[in-house]
Amino acid sequence: MSLKASAVTQTFGFLLIENFALMSYASAIEPLRAANLLAGKTLYNIRPLSCDGERVRCSAGIEVPCEAISAAGSECHTLFVCAGGGPSDWAQAQGIYGVLRRLSRQGVRIGGISSGSYVLASAGLLDNRDFTIHWEHAPALKEAFPHLLPRQARYVLDGNRITCGGGVAPLDMMHAVVAERLGPAFARRVSDWYLHTAVAEPGAPQRASTVERFGTRHPALISVLEKMEATIERPLDRSAMAAFAGVSTRHLDRLFTQQLKSSFLEKYKHIRLQHARRLLEQSPLSIAEVSFATGFSSPGHLSRSFKAYFGVSPKTVR
């Protein structure tokens, strides 16, 4: 669609949840502002919204003045739930689940940025949908909503649902949103405005590769580490992992010692403990439920291992 044909101003609402990530919010609204500037007219109206019309404090401590979603939401072409933090923050949105569902029925495109997708899932707006969420919040979402399976993508466009992992990924998402309406050439001008020369594809990874995160390039070791991350609830033994990677158990032990300065069991336990910490911080699961979700035989087993690794108890983190 040409700029001349885009005479109608589209309102994009951003429902801000306490402790929302400032970078995610800025990465989403700035391309819309640049589009207005480059077009010389208001193509997009940006409206910060809150559950009650009060100011909302972001993760950096800055407060953003907002309008109440109940009064302004129906004017939106697209409404994003922008969240960060953890379950105690997301719970603040419980009172507006009905509003979100009503707006969706009225034809408003509904989106989630970072952990905003958790709020949408809680409102029942992601059932039978393709979507994503920030990788750090994905374990909590999958535990709370086992029927949902988020994709580890930078952003996902699925009809009138649009979700994004957060961070700087909204820059990529908004490039697609602007291109969808105004064409790729204009979207390229918007991205160039922010020196955003390498626009990522929607399915690009959210995290660094296994090679970068663990500092090894050995194919067998990489395959085992990825398998470890995929089998946290039911850990596999050394023999099964060695067979999976096509090496002997002795050679597998050498690889862990030489390249990771750790034993097979220590590294596996550390991966599971890091996952346990994310669940404790971001999910409503009890310590007993977390222990079984991360492959520990009992809450006591988890507590002892957790304190030895992190220096604090699971109860303290919770």
Side-chain angles (χ1 to χ4, degrees):
M1 184 181 295
S2 67
L3 286 180
K4 183 178 288 186
S6 302
V8 177
T9 299
Q10 291 183 351
T11 295
F12 274 53
F14 291 85
L15 176 61
L16 306 180
I17 307 299
E18 194 78 12
N19 286 323
F20 69 93
L22 183 59
M23 177 175 283
S24 298
Y25 177 52
S27 296
I29 65 172
E30 281 297 298
L32 301 179
R33 183 185 68 84
N36 292 340
L37 186 65
L38 292 171
K41 60 180 179 179
T42 305
L43 299 172
Y44 300 102
N45 180 28
I46 302 165
R47 299 183 77 163
L49 307 171
S50 67
C51 297
D52 54 10
E54 298 295 324
R55 291 171 172 265
V56 180
R57 184 185 298 271
C58 73
S59 55
I62 299 170
E63 291 187 343
V64 177
C66 296
E67 301 173 75
I69 184 176
S70 58
S74 59
E75 300 173 21
C76 295
H77 171 278
T78 300
L79 178 90
F80 285 103
V81 178
C82 192
S88 60
D89 300 309
W90 309 334
Q92 300 170 25
Q94 288 181 3
I96 53 89
Y97 293 165
V99 176
L100 292 174
R101 289 191 289 265
R102 173 175 56 79
L103 293 176
S104 177
R105 290 193 300 270
Q106 291 174 347
V108 176
R109 180 166 61 171
I110 305 292
I113 295 175
S114 192
S115 59
S117 296
Y118 192 101
V119 176
L120 299 189
S122 300
L125 292 172
L126 293 181
D127 290 357
N128 303 310
R129 292 288 188 161
D130 190 14
F131 72 99
T132 190
I133 190 172
H134 190 287
W135 65 266
E136 188 178 21
H137 304 305
L141 185 142
K142 286 188 280 190
E143 290 292 340
F145 308 100
H147 65 291
L148 298 181
L149 186 62
R151 273 208 287 142
Q152 281 302 294
R154 293 180 73 82
Y155 66 92
V156 175
L157 306 178
D158 183 15
N160 61 354
R161 294 291 179 273
I162 177 168
T163 51
C164 177
V168 296
L171 288 172
D172 302 316
M173 177 180 67
M174 286 308 185
H175 178 92
V177 168
V178 171
E180 179 182 66
R181 181 187 181 195
L182 303 164
F186 186 79
R188 180 72 269 168
R189 291 177 61 198
V190 171
S191 293
D192 284 348
W193 188 264
Y194 292 106
L195 315 187
H196 183 210
T197 55
V199 180
E201 292 298 315
Q206 292 186 7
R207 305 177 68 185
S209 68
T210 307
V211 170
E212 294 170 300
R213 287 187 286 116
F214 290 100
T216 179
R217 293 184 177 276
H218 194 286
L221 197 51
I222 289 170
S223 66
V224 169
L225 289 166
E226 290 176 343
K227 193 69 170 176
M228 284 178 166
E229 292 185 323
T231 55
I232 287 174
E233 187 172 351
R234 294 182 177 83
L236 302 177
D237 60 25
R238 285 167 59 251
S239 298
M241 282 292 199
F244 173 76
V247 299
S248 68
T249 54
R250 181 175 295 182
H251 185 51
L252 184 63
D253 287 340
R254 279 199 300 269
L255 289 174
F256 273 89
T257 301
Q258 294 172 1
Q259 299 208 21
L260 300 181
K261 311 303 179 187
S262 173
S263 71
F264 170 88
L265 290 177
E266 286 174 341
K267 180 56 68 176
Y268 211 165
K269 182 185 284 187
H270 293 168
I271 288 172
R272 289 157 52 215
L273 286 169
Q274 288 162 353
H275 186 75
R277 180 160 193 154
R278 285 194 290 271
L279 290 179
L280 288 166
E281 291 175 336
Q282 300 170 12
S283 82
L285 297 181
S286 67
I287 292 176
E289 289 170 325
V290 170
S291 68
F292 296 124
T294 51
F296 290 90
S297 58
S298 68
H301 185 198
L302 170 64
S303 294
R304 290 189 296 274
S305 301
F306 196 95
K307 190 165 186 178
Y309 184 58
F310 291 111
V312 293
S313 68
K315 187 177 292 186
T316 301
V317 171
R318 168 52 55 80

